[in-house]
Amino acid sequence: MKTSNDPRHQKRQHIIQLLFAQTFQNDAPQDESIKPIMQNLPEIDKVITSIAPEFPIDKINKVDLSILRLAVYEITIEKDAPEKVSIDEAIELAKEYGGDSSPAFINGALGKLVKELAEKK
């Protein structure tokens, strides 16, 4: 059972905070922990647009967008953790930082992503 003291969870919390801050400071120097995500941002945002077409990137809540960016990066590019773990972590982060509808939105979008990836295999 994971806890809020789990170092992997704390690392994800830190990354979400940095990604959130980056949405307001585009020209600010980037922390090393988010550089790979920022370098792949066009690809990540393209995926987010395809899995949540009813929500344009600029209309998605900035916290939810940061969580989605991390999860999409973990699932499609990094691939270190199982998809289920990345989704569970994203939902937990949405519960912590997002609004009331954030966990359901994140779960739906990432569920669609995993389904699309499975269909491509």
Side-chain angles (χ1 to χ4, degrees):
M1 181 77 186
K2 68 178 179 282
T3 67
S4 59
N5 295 330
D6 181 337
R8 292 169 296 194
H9 183 72
Q10 290 177 341
K11 180 181 176 192
R12 284 184 175 102
Q13 286 176 317
H14 179 69
I15 290 171
I16 292 303
Q17 292 166 358
L18 292 171
L19 287 172
F20 179 76
Q22 193 70 35
T23 61
F24 299 101
Q25 307 168 343
N26 256 350
D27 57 349
Q30 295 172 4
D31 186 282
E32 286 298 313
S33 57
I34 66 166
K35 267 194 178 162
I37 297 169
M38 297 308 293
Q39 289 169 343
N40 289 288
L41 205 55
E43 296 166 49
I44 293 167
D45 284 353
K46 196 158 98 175
V47 170
I48 293 170
T49 300
S50 76
I51 60 175
E54 61 280 359
F55 298 99
I57 291 284
D58 62 336
K59 300 294 184 210
I60 297 175
N61 173 319
K62 300 293 186 216
V63 172
D64 293 352
L65 182 59
S66 299
I67 294 168
L68 278 174
R69 284 175 169 165
L70 172 60
V72 168
Y73 172 77
E74 287 182 351
I75 293 169
T76 63
I77 298 168
E78 187 179 58
K79 300 178 184 178
D80 284 349
E83 294 167 346
K84 184 174 177 2
V85 171
S86 294
I87 293 171
D88 287 347
E89 278 290 328
I91 293 168
E92 288 303 313
L93 290 164
K95 288 177 185 175
E96 284 179 62
Y97 296 105
D100 291 341
S101 62
S102 295
F105 172 65
I106 300 286
N107 187 36
L110 295 177
K112 184 175 179 182
L113 172 61
V114 170
K115 183 179 177 191
E116 287 178 2
L117 291 173
E119 289 172 357
K120 288 182 182 177
K121 288 182 181 177

